[in-house]
Amino acid sequence: DEGVLEEGRPADLVLLQPPLGGAFDDPLTAIEHGDLPGISAVVVDGRLRALRSRNTPASARAATLVEGALA
């Protein structure tokens, strides 16, 4: 069941963005240069657990929850 994003399958995801005010436009480049990524959302077992992190820098782009997207 792992490795596929599909309704009914288990899903643990962390949506990363570059940090707000950072010098890079994508999270992987930011990490490569020593920046902490901004965590914009966390999904555990297919359920939204957080729309931001209090323990990392703010993300450059916020995640948006689409109504009905996560049942």
Side-chain angles (χ1 to χ4, degrees), residues 45-59:
D45 291 333
R47 296 186 182 273
L48 181 66
R49 299 296 183 192
L51 275 176
R52 65 177 184 84
S53 170
R54 293 181 292 166
N55 299 318
T56 63
S59 60

Side-chain angles (χ1 to χ4, degrees), residues 20-58:
L20 184 63
F24 304 100
D25 292 332
D26 68 272
L28 294 179
T29 303
I31 292 168
E32 287 174 358
H33 287 88
D35 284 345
L36 291 174
I39 297 175
S40 57
V42 177
V43 177
V44 177
D45 291 333
R47 296 186 182 273
L48 181 66
R49 299 296 183 192
L51 275 176
R52 65 177 184 84
S53 170
R54 293 181 292 166
N55 299 318
T56 63

